[in-house]
Amino acid sequence: MTARHILALSGGVGGAKLADGLQQACNDGRLTVVVNTGDDFTHLGLSISPDVDTALYTLGGVANPETGWGRRDETWTFMDALARLGGETWFRLGDGDLATHVERTRRLAAGESLSAITADFARRLGIRADIVPMSDQPLRTRVHSDEGVFDFQDYFVRHQCRPVTRSIEFAQGDDVRPAPAVLAALADDALDAIVICPSNPYLSIAPILAVPGLRDALRAAGVPIVAVSPLVGGTAVKGPTAKIMAELGVPVGAEQIVHYYGDLLDGFVLDVRDAHLQERIALPVHVTDTLMRTPQDRVRVARETVDFAKHLKSRA
């Protein structure tokens, strides 16, 4: 695999795993990872960016290998003390993770952008890729359910995705726009491909595409856009993708993910367990084992995805 510049859209653990594989496989090339911030929220007075931090910890080699999120070898003194004081403990913040949120909150209050802070954190973690939030302005995912309207973390963590989803809203102000580094990466003449990681299309990728002007900018980049299926054997490896599809009245299948992304895609990476669906997809398809159990799996899937995109580019 030889690529000058790859741009990936990512959110959550699955997306971070593939982004990590892309970082390792890019060799001397450049990788820009555009991360969902629709999950961001303020908790205990702190500015928390869960998907950004999962990308930072994963690509920085410090993620908890058992959960895929949070930090390796975490301790929980703060949460234990908070519980004894009767504080809110439904969203758990480890001691090392807490330092990230405290420093981010301090620097945001001092006037720095989320992009600048994230770039500095990435540098300090030794990350070669550019980790970029989708926007420096707030865009918040809200889940409308049969039990009311929930901010994302209330739905996802506090209620463990149990409420039945009726619709999903992306609340934003008039000033929301793509982060400058996103647009700069898309305008780079060296850009070879755009990869949509196997993140939840409805909760992780859709907020990115909801940033005004970003979907058009992706298409205008003029390079192949390839999505990796978040479904394996008709279900999600992690998270509520299949549950949400069923509750929204969408048949649970990889071909429906292609339909959801619509004319954005030029190609699709399908898991081998769903190979029988290939004939239902009116796009070029690459079939492979998309499960990323090991670091080697991440690199393999990344290489195959980029090679597939390069093949599409050569045919254009």
Side-chain angles (χ1 to χ4, degrees), residues 71-283:
R71 295 185 67 112
R72 180 192 304 271
D73 301 323
E74 188 62 277
T75 56
W76 302 95
T77 303
F78 168 74
M79 291 305 301
D80 292 342
L82 183 64
R84 287 195 295 273
L85 293 172
E88 288 191 66
T89 58
W90 62 270
F91 192 90
R92 290 178 60 75
L93 301 173
D95 299 331
D97 189 37
L98 184 63
T100 299
H101 308 312
V102 169
E103 181 63 2
R104 176 190 292 118
T105 303
R106 182 190 70 79
R107 293 172 66 166
L108 286 170
E112 288 189 64
S113 69
L114 181 60
S115 292
I117 297 165
T118 303
D120 186 53
F121 285 177
R123 179 183 64 81
R124 292 174 184 277
L125 287 169
I127 297 171
R128 291 182 288 111
D130 297 321
I131 309 294
V132 184
M134 65 190 196
S135 178
D136 285 322
Q137 295 77 40
L139 182 156
R140 298 295 178 252
T141 301
R142 291 179 180 158
V143 178
H144 293 247
S145 79
D146 60 347
E147 298 179 28
V149 181
F150 295 104
D151 290 337
F152 180 82
Q153 296 302 335
D154 275 339
Y155 165 78
F156 191 72
V157 180
R158 190 198 292 262
H159 294 284
Q160 311 244 313
C161 305
R162 286 187 294 266
V164 175
T165 303
R166 299 305 184 196
S167 65
I168 301 169
E169 173 192 6
F170 304 112
Q172 56 188 289
D174 294 336
D175 62 339
V176 175
R177 58 191 181 276
V182 178
L183 297 179
L186 289 171
D188 184 6
D189 290 338
L191 187 67
D192 282 329
I194 296 168
V195 175
I196 300 179
C197 292
S199 303
N200 187 309
Y202 303 90
L203 297 177
S204 294
I205 302 301
I208 301 175
L209 300 179
V211 175
L214 187 46
R215 187 184 182 106
D216 290 342
L218 291 166
R219 281 273 35 141
V223 299
I225 302 177
V226 173
V228 178
S229 177
L231 298 179
V232 174
T235 190
V237 177
K238 190 178 182 69
T241 300
K243 175 182 182 291
I244 286 175
M245 292 177 73
E247 291 170 355
L248 294 177
V250 178
V252 180
E255 76 277 16
Q256 296 298 325
I257 304 295
V258 176
H259 178 73
Y260 180 73
Y261 285 136
D263 61 1
L264 187 64
L265 298 185
D266 298 297
F268 191 71
V269 177
L270 183 67
D271 186 76
V272 66
R273 299 158 191 81
D274 296 313
H276 62 284
L277 299 174
Q278 182 172 355
E279 62 186 25
R280 303 183 191 177
I281 299 174
L283 282 177

